[in-house]
Every structure is written in structure tokens, then in C-alpha cells.
Amino acid sequence: MTISNVKILGIKISILNSYKAAYTVLLRRIKSVSYSDYITVNNVHTVVEGVLNKDYREALNNSFLALPDGKPLSIVAKLKGHKNMGRIFGPTFMEKTIDWGRQDNLKHFFFGSSEDTLEKLQRVIKLKYSGATIVGAISPPYKEKFTEEENDEFINIMNESGADIFWIGLGAPKQEIWMYKNYKKLNRGVMIGIGAGFDYLAGNTKHAPQWMKKFAFEWLYRLIQEPGRLYL
């Protein structure tokens, strides 16, 4: 399956019309190639950050797939002539991939967030998606940059796990830059920068009502739950 892309303010966004289409592309990449790659999950915040930050823009534009997470991105893409453009909300894509991945024997690894959140996340997956395969999880130290020794240890553990998908929850822009600098060190598999996806699945953050999703007000719902984000 050939994926077309559109540039929004110079940032690559992949043209996808459904979660299933995104999953199919991911699965084919995992099954058909022996090298590693990475996927970004893009919204208005990441696009603006990419415009302002050259290194971040390079990380976004070199991903093999750039999911249109934000509703405004889908609207802009449609205005540019891509009428079939859909919206792929990152946390929902993660859940669907874990669900569908059971029949395709996909193995998952989680990198990021706190030990508590990772434990809750894995409990939820075992209850909700029985049979899903989790082969590892790391809660890295909360710091701006990992040491070379720490980074080497993380990559070694990931490679030894044999995972197909590495869910990276370091938050933007850190996770995209980290993936770009490190994905080639993996023996195989695909990294996916999922941001707050861990918190959603663990139950720390609630999904917005459907009507708020429809009208692109998820940011407001999340701000109400996490008012501290206003000052980040």
C-alpha cells in the first residue's frame, strides 16, 4: 500500500482515511521488512513546534508514517483537496492496534511514563485485550536528556525483547526527537510516539465525549482534567 502525504506548514502528514488503513500499513511494514522505523502522531501542537524547531521538523518529516491525530489537520488536508482524509486519534489507534494485533501475533513494548502508570496500563491490557503479548516496559528517569549509558541500556533491552511495536510515551517534542536519533539502533520493529496514550489506557486521563471529539474540543476537555498543562 502506497501512502500519500500532504505538507501542512512544511510538516508531513500522511493521507489516511481510517484506523484500519493505518493499522494495515503498520502491519505490512512490520511483516515485510527486517529493518526498524518509526511513526509520529501529529496534531496542531506538533506542527507548530515543527515550524519553530528545525531539529523537530526533521524528526517529523523523516518518519515513515505521520498520523493525522488532530482534527484541524484533517480539515486543512481536505481543503487542500484530500477529501478522503480521516482523523487518527493516537490513543484510540494504540488500543485498536493492541486489539487487532492479537490475531497477528504482534508483540508490544512500552517506553515512558511512571512505573505506576505502566503497571496500570498492563493490567488494563490483560483484562481488556486478553491474549495481547507484552514483552517489556521501561519507566525511564524523568530528565531532559538520557545519558549515553542509559540510552544504550534502553536500546539493548528493547532489542532483546523481540518486540514488533515500541510504544514511546515521552511526550512531544522529546519522543519524536528521541525516536529519530535512536530508531536505527533497533534490530527491527517500529517505534510509535504515542504521548498521552499511556495515561488514557491506564485510566489516568478520560476520553472526551464524542461530541467534543467531533468539534475538536478534546484539548479543552483535557485542560479541564489537567489545568497544570496551561502553564507548560
Side-chain angles (χ1 to χ4, degrees):
M1 179 183 290
T2 301
I3 297 298
S4 299
N5 300 296
V6 61
K7 285 290 185 74
I8 297 179
L9 297 179
I11 306 302
K12 180 180 81 172
I13 305 295
S14 300
I15 307 299
L16 294 159
N17 60 10
S18 69
Y19 289 100
K20 198 67 176 182
Y23 177 77
T24 299
V25 174
L26 169 61
L27 183 63
R28 288 184 179 179
R29 178 57 63 103
I30 290 170
K31 298 294 186 182
S32 64
V33 301
S34 59
Y35 55 86
S36 55
D37 224 320
Y38 71 102
I39 293 173
T40 59
V41 177
N42 302 278
N43 53 33
V44 172
H45 167 249
T46 62
V47 168
V48 172
E49 187 70 25
V51 171
L52 300 175
N53 185 324
K54 179 179 177 295
D55 292 338
Y56 189 51
R57 180 167 65 249
E58 188 174 335
L60 294 177
N61 287 340
N62 279 280
S63 62
F64 103 85
L65 199 62
L67 301 183
D69 174 272
K71 181 78 169 180
L73 302 185
S74 298
I75 293 172
V76 172
K78 287 179 179 178
L79 291 174
K80 284 175 168 280
H82 301 282
K83 302 302 181 183
N84 292 326
M85 181 69 152
R87 190 246 175 140
I88 312 298
F89 182 50
T92 299
F93 178 68
M94 183 173 77
E95 286 204 49
K96 288 183 178 294
T97 297
I98 292 169
D99 182 11
W100 295 333
R102 290 182 290 178
Q103 67 181 18
D104 295 310
N105 300 312
L106 295 184
K107 293 172 285 188
H108 304 272
F109 193 105
F110 299 92
F111 180 68
S113 197
S114 67
E115 291 282 1
D116 181 60
T117 295
L118 288 177
E119 288 175 7
K120 284 199 253 181
L121 173 76
Q122 293 178 78
R123 284 200 301 269
V124 170
I125 291 172
K126 287 176 183 177
L127 288 171
K128 196 172 181 180
Y129 304 111
S130 177
T133 304
I134 301 172
V135 294
I138 296 174
S139 174
Y142 186 73
K143 56 170 71 173
E144 184 176 345
K145 188 176 181 180
F146 305 128
T147 66
E148 187 175 341
E149 292 76 18
E150 288 171 333
N151 216 57
D152 288 344
E153 182 181 359
F154 299 150
I155 296 297
N156 286 337
I157 293 172
M158 289 177 175
N159 278 327
E160 289 173 2
S161 75
D164 298 299
I165 301 175
F166 300 88
W167 299 99
I168 311 300
L170 302 176
K174 181 179 178 179
Q175 65 193 11
E176 288 79 21
I177 293 174
W178 188 86
M179 291 192 299
Y180 181 46
K181 290 181 177 179
N182 291 281
Y183 81 98
K184 290 183 179 178
K185 298 175 185 176
L186 291 179
N187 295 332
R188 59 175 299 280
V190 176
M191 291 181 173
I192 304 177
I194 201 62
F198 292 5
D199 285 318
Y200 277 102
L201 190 48
N204 298 339
T205 301
K206 297 183 184 302
H207 282 275
Q210 195 58 42
W211 72 267
M212 294 189 89
K213 291 183 179 182
K214 181 178 179 181
F215 294 103
F217 284 146
E218 279 165 305
W219 63 271
L220 177 59
Y221 189 80
R222 190 173 176 197
L223 185 61
I224 292 170
Q225 293 185 80
E226 305 172 67
R229 291 176 61 83
L230 184 63
Y231 304 101
L232 294 180

